[in-house]
Amino acid sequence: MQDKIKKEIINELLPNEYSTEQSVIKNYCIDWRGDFEGTSDIILFPSSVAKISRIVKICNKKKIPIVPQGGNTSLVGGSVPRKNKGEIILNLSKLNRIRKINLIDYTITLESGCILENVKKELEYSKMVFPLSMGSKGSCQIGGNIATNAGGVNVIKYGSLRSNILGLEIITYDGEVVSELNDIKKNNTGLDLKQLFIGSEGILGIITAATMKIFNQPKERNVLWIALKDFKQTLNLFSFITKTFNDQITSFEIMNKKSISIIKEIEIKFDVKNYEFFCLVEISNFQGIDNFYEYIVDRLKKINYSEIDMIISKSESENQKIWNIRESIPIEEKKHGYIIKHDISIPLEKMEEFIINTENQIKKYDNKAEVINFGHLGDNNLHYNVMIKDPNKVQQKKTEIRINEIIFNNVRKCKGSISAEHGIGQLRKKDLLKFRGGNEIKKMKLIKNAFDPNNIFNPGKIF
Ligand SMILES: Cc1cc2nc3c(=O)[nH]c(=O)nc-3n(C[C@H](O)[C@H](O)[C@H](O)COP(=O)(O)OP(=O)(O)OC[C@H]3O[C@@H](n4cnc5c(N)ncnc54)[C@H](O)[C@@H]3O)c2cc1C
């Protein structure tokens, strides 16, 4: 980037709101998994909407590409610059005020740089719940969550993030601030522009703030940790639990044997090798039921305990211990060499067929490969990751191509999705073209052009 333009941008900011030091910048150029690493001459940390607006205006005039970045926990290489493309990083972490908590309409208005975990803690003081939770909550930011339409572990209860967003404030290519931060749940006045920005992965503009729904905190929650012999039994359990506990269920997670066996320190009483699947089910007491533990035990009596092993937590610290197992899988997995990762969704009625056929075909191609399969069963979502150990196949492009082919063919057969919650970013660009029709892609590109005629927002992502 020319020094003159750099100066013009820097002039809008205080000294602590940017860096041109490579020792600082390089930390923001690599993604969480370490799979995508780019370069940049400058990183910006603007602290106000007005500053971002002026910077976007300059960038649009001079055609400088901008990579919007939140907590940089994207798992598809969406939040880092590419190599040598002159892209600047616009990190939102300093735009981090909670503007308003409205306890009458049950809404919160907050800026994009707020860290998810901080928002959740802040709402606890008002005995309220933010309807999103996931393993990256200590780093990811609300703007990033909205730009990826993040899923997480509570979709079964609160629905997707999209269904909880009432209004957005965005900055478009010309630097204009488009603000519709409403506390209202019904609003049929013309086109609903916010829907385009939810899940847009930074390619349409900068999200600076949002108004979102919040919910009453449950009085308590208990977690069931259940060990199962096969997927049929898992599905029967899912069906029984959803009928029995209905909207008291706040999470329903599944983990296969391999995903549990990679965890080093684990305080669970079952012998992992005797089971194929484990489920974590969180049941929450929204109604203020007395003796909630006994209430759960009583309702579970219909299950045949001789076939199923189950622990029911009795305290918040026991809840946390069980949740730690689930949350440590992506972190432990990172330590295990060459893993080909997928974030897919499959209708429940086809999931057993998918699991059996896909694993058989993978084993036929490479009998040393192992499948780490875990995810949000309650919303059809599997993180289906294949660990390659054969030295002749490790780190080989052709291995990845073949494994992807097997998985995607089975996803297609089962009418599932190749990206359930992580998005497209750089990782799934080519696959998107195979899974969404040509006419659909054309229309998506028309929208991109209308909102970003100079292609300054996160170029090279999604398309
Ligand atoms: C351990 C772990 C667990 C995870 N679990 C889940 C899970 O359960 N469910 C799930 O959905 N995801 C999960 N993820 C993925 C990731 O955390 C989410 O995609 C998250 O929403 C990204 O937020 P972020 O602030 O880190 O965004 P970033 O990674 O910084 O950015 C993500 C995308 O959004 C764009 N963007 C960021 N901020 C803005 C903004 N203000 N305006 C416009 N565009 C913007 C970026 O350009 C990029 O394309 C997990 C990741 C990790 C590392």
Side-chain angles (χ1 to χ4, degrees):
M1 189 195 306
Q2 289 167 14
D3 281 351
K4 209 175 127 207
I5 304 174
K6 211 185 270 179
K7 247 192 182 152
E8 204 180 331
I9 292 172
I10 286 170
N11 274 344
E12 300 294 341
L13 299 166
L14 297 170
N16 67 349
E17 289 178 310
Y18 70 89
S19 177
T20 51
E21 297 293 326
Q22 276 308 318
S23 58
V24 174
I25 298 170
K26 72 176 194 312
N27 300 315
Y28 296 86
C29 287
I30 183 154
D31 73 316
W32 189 82
R33 280 183 172 149
D35 291 341
F36 294 93
E37 186 167 6
T39 54
S40 182
D41 286 348
I42 182 166
I43 181 162
L44 315 178
F45 302 97
S47 59
S48 77
V49 174
K51 286 178 188 180
I52 300 175
S53 156
R54 291 197 293 270
I55 290 164
V56 169
K57 211 177 231 166
I58 298 168
C59 288
N60 186 53
K61 212 159 122 201
K62 313 283 186 198
K63 299 194 174 47
I64 305 294
I66 302 172
V67 179
Q69 188 179 72
N72 196 14
T73 64
S74 164
L75 297 179
V76 290
S79 48
V80 288
R82 295 168 299 164
K83 276 203 171 90
N84 307 320
K85 298 280 186 189
E87 295 170 357
I88 65 172
I89 306 170
L90 187 95
N91 184 294
L92 276 298
S93 55
K94 283 202 157 79
L95 190 77
N96 60 3
R97 274 184 322 125
I98 293 183
R99 292 190 191 164
K100 183 174 142 193
I101 297 176
N102 174 347
L103 295 175
I104 297 174
D105 290 294
Y106 281 50
T107 62
I108 184 167
T109 300
L110 67 183
E111 291 177 344
S112 286
C114 291
I115 290 176
L116 175 58
E117 191 164 46
N118 297 347
V119 175
K120 293 175 82 66
K121 282 192 182 140
E122 189 59 39
L123 282 171
E124 275 174 22
Y125 296 121
S126 316
K127 296 206 176 318
M128 300 302 286
V129 177
F130 191 76
L132 174 70
S133 190
M134 53 193 190
S136 54
K137 61 182 179 289
S139 310
C140 66
Q141 299 173 6
I142 299 303
N145 299 148
I146 295 170
T148 55
N149 185 27
V153 297
N154 293 145
V155 173
I156 190 168
K157 169 67 184 168
Y158 301 109
S160 70
L161 199 64
R162 182 182 295 283
S163 57
N164 290 306
I165 297 172
L166 300 174
L168 288 185
E169 178 183 271
I170 49 197
I171 295 179
T172 50
Y173 72 97
D174 45 11
E176 271 184 14
V177 181
V178 180
S179 186
E180 267 304 311
L181 294 172
N182 295 313
D183 286 313
I184 46 178
K185 301 196 175 61
K186 285 186 167 180
N187 186 5
N188 281 349
T189 48
L191 297 182
D192 192 357
L193 293 180
K194 69 175 178 294
Q195 300 299 351
L196 286 174
F197 281 77
I198 302 167
S200 62
E201 299 187 43
I203 71 162
L204 297 183
I206 312 291
I207 299 162
T208 50
T211 301
M212 302 185 57
K213 291 184 201 167
I214 53 176
F215 298 84
N216 279 325
Q217 202 178 58
K219 190 175 153 210
E220 71 215 284
R221 55 183 193 151
N222 293 73
V223 177
L224 321 184
W225 177 249
I226 310 160
L228 299 133
K229 294 210 163 49
D230 53 32
F231 190 75
K232 211 176 251 33
Q233 204 182 38
T234 309
L235 208 53
N236 286 341
L237 176 91
F238 178 79
S239 175
F240 171 77
I241 298 239
T242 45
K243 275 191 196 116
T244 307
F245 294 100
N246 208 329
D247 60 359
Q248 292 167 318
I249 304 167
T250 35
S251 297
F252 201 120
E253 300 285 298
I254 185 174
M255 289 139 269
N256 77 344
K257 188 193 328 213
K258 185 67 194 169
S259 59
I260 297 299
S261 64
I262 60 169
I263 302 171
K264 288 229 169 64
E265 282 164 37
I266 191 164
E267 294 175 55
I268 37 170
K269 111 185 159 179
F270 318 134
D271 193 351
V272 172
K273 69 177 180 306
N274 295 335
Y275 302 94
E276 285 303 318
F277 289 98
F278 296 83
C279 283
L280 179 163
V281 185
E282 187 184 88
I283 316 259
S284 296
N285 185 1
F286 292 98
Q287 297 91 342
I289 294 164
D290 291 335
N291 302 322
F292 196 56
Y293 175 84
E294 279 80 23
Y295 165 89
I296 293 173
V297 172
D298 192 49
R299 269 156 187 73
L300 288 173
K301 278 188 183 143
K302 284 192 194 124
I303 297 180
N304 186 349
Y305 280 98
S306 60
E307 285 182 19
I308 288 178
D309 265 325
M310 185 185 307
I311 295 171
I312 307 174
S313 69
K314 285 190 173 144
S315 64
E316 196 47 45
S317 76
E318 285 183 17
N319 289 348
Q320 209 40 60
K321 271 188 195 156
I322 300 176
W323 267 113
N324 286 345
I325 303 171
R326 165 64 184 85
E327 287 178 350
S328 58
I329 299 172
I331 296 154
E332 287 297 322
E333 211 187 24
K334 232 181 145 184
K335 302 172 190 163
H336 283 260
Y338 185 48
I339 300 185
I340 302 168
K341 302 186 182 79
H342 292 274
D343 162 43
I344 54 172
S345 59
I346 302 287
L348 285 178
E349 62 165 352
K350 301 265 183 192
M351 214 176 254
E352 187 180 14
E353 173 191 324
F354 175 86
I355 289 172
I356 294 171
N357 290 348
T358 312
E359 192 150 350
N360 282 344
Q361 289 163 23
I362 288 172
K363 289 277 186 198
K364 221 166 159 186
Y365 168 69
D366 174 3
N367 63 9
K368 294 193 180 76
E370 295 199 71
V371 174
I372 300 172
N373 180 9
F374 63 98
H376 318 296
L377 185 72
D379 8 296
N380 317 95
N381 184 186
L382 297 177
H383 299 309
Y384 194 90
N385 302 336
V386 184
M387 190 192 276
I388 304 292
K389 292 170 166 172
D390 182 341
N392 298 318
K393 291 195 163 73
V394 165
Q395 304 295 354
Q396 297 289 319
K397 195 75 203 153
K398 62 175 193 257
T399 310
E400 188 179 342
I401 291 173
R402 184 63 196 128
I403 295 286
N404 287 355
E405 212 170 64
I406 293 172
I407 295 172
F408 291 161
N409 280 344
N410 286 310
V411 168
R412 197 190 299 276
K413 269 187 203 149
C414 296
K415 292 196 185 322
S417 163
I418 57 157
S419 183
E421 56 177 13
H422 296 161
I424 300 299
Q426 300 184 65
L427 182 70
R428 293 276 168 250
K429 267 164 61 168
K430 283 191 188 138
D431 307 310
L432 175 75
L433 300 178
K434 291 182 217 146
F435 270 79
R436 300 291 290 266
N439 286 341
E440 258 186 312
I441 301 283
K442 262 197 258 164
K443 299 294 182 265
M444 286 187 206
K445 286 187 177 169
L446 273 180
I447 291 169
K448 164 74 174 166
N449 273 341
F451 276 93
D452 184 17
N454 291 320
N455 195 21
I456 59 161
F457 289 125
N458 222 3
K461 313 292 162 54
I462 302 187
F463 306 117

